Amino acid sequence: MSVRRLHEIQPESFAFSEANLARVQEWMAKFPEGRQRSAVIAALWIGQEQEGWVTKPMVEEVGRLLDMPYIRVLEVATFYTMFYLAPVGKHHLQVCTTTPCWLRGSDEVVKACKKHIHDKPHTVSADGQFSWEEMECLGACVNAPMMLIDKDPYEDLTGDKVVEIIEALRRGESPKTGSQIDRHTSEPVGGRTTLTKEEA
Amino acid sequence: MARKLIIDGKEIEAEDTLTLLQACEQAGAEIPRFCYHERLSVAGNCRMCMVEWVGAPKPQVSCSLQVKDIFPNKDGTPAKINTNSPVAKKAREGVMEFLLINHPLDCPICDQGGECDLQDQAMGYGRANFHRFHENKRAVEDKYMGPLIKTAMNRCIQCTRCVRFATEVAGVPDLGATGRGEDMEITTYLEKAFSSELSGNVVDLCPVGALTSKPYSYNARPWELKHTESIDIMDAQGCNTRIDTRGRSVLRVLPRLNEEINEEWLHDKGRHIWDGLGRQRLDRPYVRKNGKLQAASWHDAFALIAAKAKATKPERMAAIVGDLAAAEEIKALKDLMTSLGVINLDCRQEGATLGGARPSYLFNTSIAGVEAADALLLIGCNPRWEAPVLNARIRKTWLAGALQVANLGLAVDLTYPAAELGTDIATLEALADGSHPFAEVLRNAKRPMLILGTGALARKDGAAVLYRAAKIARETGMIGPAGTAAEGGWNGFNVLHTAASRVAALDLGFVPGPEGRDVTGIIDGAQKGEIDFIYLLGADELPLETMGRPFVVYQGSHGDAGASYADVILPGSAFSEKDGLFANFEGRVQEAPRAVFPPGEAKEDWAILRALSEELKHPLPYDTLEALRRVLVAELPQYGALGTLPRHEGADPALWGALGAEGPLAIDVPLAAAIGDYYLTNAIARASLVMADCSRILLHDGQTKMAAE
């Protein structure tokens, strides 16, 4: 974790697309009159889907839309690391480096990202395709080490596997999500050891 | 409901609505705290107020644990709370250790040193000669919060008092906490200045030295200062203050607790004008010779005035009282002028048509009484600028319940929602005859009130406005039975004055006699050559440039507009330099005692008038301030009962039916603001560099106003 601030270079303006505005309004309608600001996370999330990251004009647009002071929107945007405050690549890799993943070799994953994307986290690769960052626990410790690409988890990683996934994404393919070894979800490696057959 | 608790071995009954911290305080225990503040919402994030609940597995955070949630022991005996046990002490020591991990401990260079909650509580709960953290402390960038608040964010312990104050009390949600955990930072939105008239209060609220006063920075240590309990006269509310001085200079002004007036808040003008007390001072008499003001002796100045006064007929003389005068000098000037036969007297510089029966120009509901109101009509006033602390009280009332506010006047952000009725004075007619929808709201309200501002009274049709306001008050049930609001009486008719001297001057009848001229008449008369002699007692807010060349005596403390038109200047004292009585807009009389001595040859104002009366061969009948006050109290008994609120005398048709004049309203003149610039309303504020900065940065977007404008 580090101090999260809005990016230095900001676009001039932001407006929700018609479809996205309808989605935001759908969220606003879910809350009682006068509590529209409860939709702030949803609104920022939809905005991020549209723009790729949370921009200053977006923070202000959301503030106007939900009738809340800009500082309140900024508080939310800086609190949650799921909101990107700087431009990200087409694919954004969030590498878990919390203790279980670290013990299981997340250093290798980070090394691969550094080599094949960019030396520094939060920086878009030369071809604009990728960016990466270190992330706190994403709740898949049993499949450590793991990372999240966009909205999908990739688990049981090694350095080489990460390179393969990056290259596949670069070619425009959709690599298999979930565990990257011969393993079904979080079952034991090498297959089940208990409850192997159905008993009455 | 109340339930029994045993706190530190003492059995007490605590109301269910209290928090455990309040119950502990009732039992006489002292609970340390950082984030908890009785006038703000409970955050419960500093954890310093932990106490032991015997039987509970962990220490309890007393500020956020409610009494109603504390159940008795299994055997039916009351729950036992220990505030001083080893468990509680150890818990607090742990919290203190955590807080100090990242606190820079730069007390020797910190302005809060000596009056710092963290410093004080570390004396009680710090672990001396013991530390186990060797990592670097966190470093946080300092933030810009405007011209009044200096930040040192390394010191911040994230209590969020400032954020809660801005959001809840000030109603200006400019402050917030971004990031989280170790990276949490208190900031404004992208380094915007904190634009509230109450911003200085966050400095008092900050329990550490993260937010300190920018103008006061590195000026003094608290233990070097002499404290004088005083009154703020920058507006007419009479906020209770404490003036801190060292030697001959005033170094800062802080609020003092008074539940009935300002609770514990003070507005920025009252708090930060102290540098104006030392600038632009008139410190010796001046006499105009060959068109230029030249230093003179008291004797020469008096001699010139006496010669001029002798040569002028009383009906060609006039006297005007300014906004900052104390009751004593108003009384002395009135007596002196009356003895000379002068009837052209006025104190209403802005030209309001007020006077006569006392309730007709007072804020009758009383400041604390506002909290009982459920409908409020503002007529030509902007309480946010004219009385910011009163405005916080209105906001508090709105927050607490169903106060409906309508604003007839310029649309401004009052920090609470108001139905904007526009600036068209014809709307007042509709309200008065009951046809306006808000008249219905007022009729249906249990305790309706209206506030009549200077913006509505200082008009040519001011008397007609007053008549209609009184009609609204009568016909919507604002004038109830006798007594204070607490006693069941209700009076919703309020006049909001902007000048601290006004109520005292009206009490003393410093208004034109039957044949006398008012302010406009005096200035007009001077222009036409019908007035030859004008005595200004600190009056600076007049269109003096239009009055031709009468002989002007200016008695006052600051070299402002009035002094520049004067032929003789008599240097008086500012409010901090004399014992003075001030009546606030409620009619409550309070004393502002002397904190420092006046500079140079300046004298106390009543004494100047006493000396001058000797010179004019009409000596005033009092030689000491005590004698003067005795005369004053004999005439106006409420000036002997300091701090008390006048009692509402109940519905009296004779009074409430006869206010103002029925004449037509000036339909084509829209309602205007009474104050053009909150930060520069009087001579002291205009002399203050801090106020000039505030005005430039907060009201004029950082643009300096050019002298030619």
Side-chain angles (χ1 to χ4, degrees):
Chain A
M1 285 276 289
S2 57
V3 173
R4 287 162 54 81
R5 300 262 168 88
L6 292 178
H7 197 239
E8 282 166 23
I9 303 157
Q10 291 285 345
E12 282 289 305
S13 62
F14 168 83
F16 281 108
S17 69
E18 215 168 288
N20 281 341
L21 187 62
R23 283 171 70 198
V24 174
Q25 278 160 350
E26 195 179 307
W27 273 98
M28 286 162 67
K30 290 184 185 183
F31 303 103
E33 191 60 40
R35 306 272 173 176
Q36 270 57 36
R37 55 178 62 183
S38 302
V40 63
I41 292 178
L44 285 170
W45 186 246
I46 291 165
Q48 177 165 293
E49 280 181 355
Q50 181 180 318
E51 297 287 285
W53 57 293
V54 173
T55 64
K56 176 174 172 255
M58 186 193 299
V59 165
E60 292 171 6
E61 175 62 21
V62 169
R64 279 190 293 271
L65 210 55
L66 304 182
D67 191 23
M68 60 197 282
Y70 298 162
I71 182 78
R72 292 281 106 81
V73 187
L74 187 70
E75 284 178 332
V76 174
T78 54
F79 187 90
Y80 295 105
T81 48
M82 70 185 199
F83 294 124
Y84 311 141
L85 299 184
V88 292
K90 189 177 159 202
H91 301 290
H92 186 65
L93 282 67
Q94 301 182 357
V95 182
C96 173
T97 55
T98 307
T99 319
C101 282
W102 175 69
L103 285 169
R104 297 276 298 150
S106 67
D107 284 356
E108 289 299 310
V109 183
V110 170
K111 216 157 132 193
C113 289
K114 281 188 175 171
K115 193 166 170 207
H116 293 269
I117 297 175
H118 199 282
D119 232 16
K120 287 192 198 122
H122 300 287
T123 314
V124 183
S125 61
D127 59 2
Q129 289 261 5
F130 295 98
S131 57
W132 71 279
E133 67 174 307
E134 284 187 47
M135 188 48 61
E136 301 297 328
C137 185
L138 289 160
C141 310
V142 74
N143 292 73
M146 66 83 65
M147 65 180 175
L148 199 68
I149 302 183
D150 303 332
K151 290 175 181 171
D152 297 317
Y154 291 78
E155 297 152 351
D156 297 315
L157 299 169
T158 60
D160 293 342
K161 276 278 174 213
V162 174
V163 178
E164 272 175 41
I165 294 167
I166 292 174
E167 290 309 321
L169 285 168
R170 191 164 275 157
R171 288 193 300 272
E173 295 163 14
S174 319
K176 172 180 171 271
T177 61
S179 177
Q180 299 298 310
I181 55 174
D182 183 22
R183 181 181 181 186
H184 183 246
T185 62
S186 58
E187 281 175 5
V189 179
R192 292 187 189 178
T193 54
T194 57
L195 302 176
T196 46
K197 53 183 180 251
E198 254 178 64
E199 280 168 35
Chain B
M1 271 254 305
R3 61 182 65 204
K4 287 200 170 98
L5 296 173
I6 299 178
I7 295 174
D8 293 340
K10 193 169 143 192
E11 185 170 312
I12 66 150
E13 286 238 342
E15 285 296 321
D16 266 359
T17 48
L18 296 183
T19 64
L20 179 55
L21 189 147
Q22 290 168 318
C24 289
E25 285 193 329
Q26 277 190 2
E30 198 177 315
I31 310 284
R33 86 283 306 262
F34 294 112
C35 73
Y36 176 80
H37 192 275
E38 52 262 52
R39 285 174 219 283
L40 304 174
S41 63
V42 173
N45 56 9
C46 79
R47 322 306 279 179
M48 195 61 194
C49 62
M50 289 201 283
V51 297
E52 181 190 9
W53 177 2
V54 178
K58 291 175 182 176
Q60 300 295 314
V61 178
S62 63
C63 73
S64 54
L65 182 65
Q66 287 195 291
V67 168
K68 71 168 190 281
D69 292 331
I70 302 175
F71 45 85
N73 296 327
K74 273 185 184 153
D75 58 6
T77 54
K80 259 180 84 175
I81 307 290
N82 292 328
T83 67
N84 263 325
S85 64
V87 173
K89 189 157 177 357
K90 186 163 173 246
R92 292 173 194 165
E93 282 176 351
V95 169
M96 180 58 74
E97 197 179 351
F98 269 136
L99 287 175
L100 294 183
I101 289 175
N102 273 322
H103 191 79
L105 298 179
D106 55 352
C107 308
I109 57 154
C110 174
D111 254 345
Q112 192 86 353
E115 49 186 5
C116 172
D117 289 356
L118 188 64
Q119 206 177 31
D120 293 350
Q121 291 174 36
M123 296 304 288
Y125 300 100
R127 288 181 168 144
N129 309 317
F130 172 88
H131 65 106
R132 51 185 150 188
F133 293 95
H134 301 281
E135 291 84 357
N136 286 338
K137 293 187 184 246
R138 78 180 195 143
V140 187
E141 284 169 31
D142 292 345
K143 306 294 185 295
Y144 174 77
M145 290 193 185
L148 298 176
I149 303 165
K150 185 182 163 193
T151 65
M153 300 316 281
N154 276 345
R155 298 175 188 149
C156 177
I157 58 170
Q158 285 107 16
C159 68
T160 70
R161 273 187 190 179
C162 52
V163 178
R164 284 175 282 145
F165 174 83
T167 312
E168 295 162 15
V169 178
V172 181
D174 277 354
L175 299 185
T178 63
R180 61 168 161 174
E182 194 186 35
D183 300 311
M184 183 169 142
E185 298 180 300
I186 302 292
T187 182
T188 53
Y189 184 71
L190 308 180
E191 306 278 288
K192 173 180 173 294
F194 180 24
S195 55
S196 167
E197 293 73 32
L198 298 168
S199 69
N201 292 302
V202 298
V203 172
D204 289 347
L205 287 171
C206 185
V208 295
L211 306 180
T212 52
S213 172
K214 209 178 247 181
Y216 172 71
S217 70
Y218 303 134
N219 263 4
R221 284 298 191 187
W223 56 84
E224 303 170 327
L225 299 172
K226 188 177 130 248
H227 312 309
T228 310
E229 299 196 340
S230 185
I231 301 299
D232 166 48
I233 62 159
M234 290 300 115
D235 61 26
Q237 184 163 0
C239 294
N240 287 203
T241 61
R242 190 185 90 191
I243 297 180
D244 282 2
T245 54
R246 186 179 55 189
R248 297 196 65 155
S249 42
V250 174
L251 289 185
R252 65 174 175 179
V253 181
L254 295 176
R256 195 151 52 87
L257 187 76
N258 189 328
E259 293 292 347
E260 292 179 19
I261 300 174
N262 55 318
E263 298 179 278
E264 59 190 85
W265 314 127
L266 182 57
H267 57 122
D268 285 347
K269 193 167 27 169
R271 188 188 286 266
H272 295 108
I273 39 84
W274 50 263
D275 74 319
L277 292 169
R279 284 178 213 282
Q280 296 271 69
R281 289 305 301 268
L282 301 170
D283 57 357
R284 56 176 307 160
Y286 286 86
V287 169
R288 195 177 290 275
K289 278 183 193 150
N290 307 323
K292 278 189 126 167
L293 282 169
Q294 286 173 2
S297 68
W298 279 103
H299 183 264
D300 291 349
F302 281 165
L304 183 57
I305 297 170
K308 203 78 194 174
K310 212 170 173 188
T312 314
K313 284 183 187 153
E315 61 269 22
R316 298 181 74 86
M317 292 169 72
I320 300 173
V321 168
D323 286 353
L324 304 177
E328 287 88 343
E329 58 246 31
I330 302 172
K331 170 76 180 150
L333 183 61
K334 171 106 195 290
D335 288 353
L336 177 59
M337 288 296 149
T338 311
S339 68
L340 292 174
V342 179
I343 50 165
N344 303 319
L345 308 174
D346 207 347
C347 61
R348 301 158 304 184
Q349 283 193 79
E350 73 290 332
T353 40
L354 289 170
R358 207 164 186 244
S360 72
Y361 56 82
L362 291 185
F363 196 93
N364 295 303
T365 302
S366 82
I367 296 163
V370 170
E371 291 186 29
D374 51 359
L376 166 62
L377 173 63
L378 301 172
I379 305 171
C381 75
N382 171 8
R384 183 167 169 188
W385 274 13
E386 289 164 32
V389 181
L390 171 72
N391 199 51
R393 188 80 77 143
I394 299 174
R395 178 177 158 78
K396 182 182 172 190
T397 310
W398 169 76
L399 273 179
L403 179 70
Q404 276 182 287
V405 186
N407 177 23
L408 179 61
L410 286 177
V412 285
D413 175 13
L414 291 165
T415 71
Y416 41 86
E420 296 294 346
L421 307 185
T423 57
D424 187 357
I425 196 74
T427 314
L428 184 65
E429 192 77 74
L431 284 159
D433 65 29
S435 61
H436 193 279
F438 198 76
E440 188 64 34
V441 175
L442 290 174
R443 274 195 298 273
N444 293 338
K446 270 208 190 89
R447 286 181 165 172
M449 63 182 281
L450 66 81
I451 302 180
L452 195 52
T454 309
L457 289 167
R459 293 164 51 98
K460 286 218 165 63
D461 59 351
V465 171
L466 183 63
Y467 175 80
R468 281 162 184 81
K471 184 161 182 264
I472 295 172
R474 278 195 324 269
E475 293 181 0
T476 57
M478 289 186 189
I479 316 294
T484 62
E487 290 164 8
W490 182 253
N491 187 343
F493 179 84
N494 300 294
V495 175
L496 183 61
H497 293 275
T498 53
S501 72
R502 196 73 80 244
V503 169
L506 291 171
D507 284 347
L508 286 159
F510 208 95
V511 288
E515 301 290 306
R517 296 165 182 264
D518 62 5
V519 163
T520 326
I522 294 168
I523 302 285
D524 280 355
Q527 198 179 5
K528 291 183 192 136
E530 292 158 19
I531 296 283
D532 297 329
F533 181 110
I534 301 184
Y535 199 103
L536 300 176
L537 182 60
D540 293 302
E541 287 79 18
L542 296 165
L544 295 169
E545 64 282 358
T546 65
M547 69 178 178
R549 293 260 8 119
F551 182 80
V552 176
V553 180
Y554 181 83
Q555 178 184 341
S557 58
H558 282 70
D560 202 65
S564 64
Y565 287 95
D567 294 287
V568 177
I569 292 176
L570 303 176
S573 317
F575 70 101
S576 53
E577 294 151 8
K578 62 190 171 197
D579 296 324
L581 296 177
F582 292 91
N584 75 350
F585 53 59
E586 297 171 292
R588 190 194 300 265
V589 182
Q590 301 181 98
E591 187 183 24
R594 176 165 61 211
V596 289
F597 286 94
E601 293 176 36
K603 298 274 186 289
E604 288 183 45
D605 291 86
W606 79 269
I608 296 173
L609 289 157
R610 174 67 184 81
L612 180 61
S613 71
E614 198 74 48
E615 210 70 30
L616 294 171
K617 307 284 183 266
H618 285 276
L620 292 169
Y622 25 77
D623 296 335
T624 62
L625 186 69
E626 289 67 37
L628 167 52
R629 283 201 182 158
R630 272 199 298 280
V631 177
L632 186 62
V633 172
E635 184 186 333
L636 300 165
Q638 63 267 36
Y639 282 73
L642 297 186
T644 56
L645 197 63
R647 202 164 171 282
H648 166 48
E649 295 306 335
D652 177 3
L655 169 60
W656 297 106
L659 279 190
E662 206 168 340
L665 292 167
I667 302 287
D668 49 338
V669 188
L671 281 164
I675 294 182
D677 186 330
Y678 164 71
Y679 296 100
L680 304 173
T681 51
N682 60 52
I684 299 178
R686 282 190 289 268
S688 158
L689 294 182
V690 178
M691 287 295 108
D693 263 358
C694 287
S695 168
R696 179 170 57 80
I697 293 167
L698 298 170
L699 300 182
H700 297 102
D701 248 355
Q703 302 297 312
T704 312
K705 228 173 161 186
M706 289 294 138
E709 281 183 287

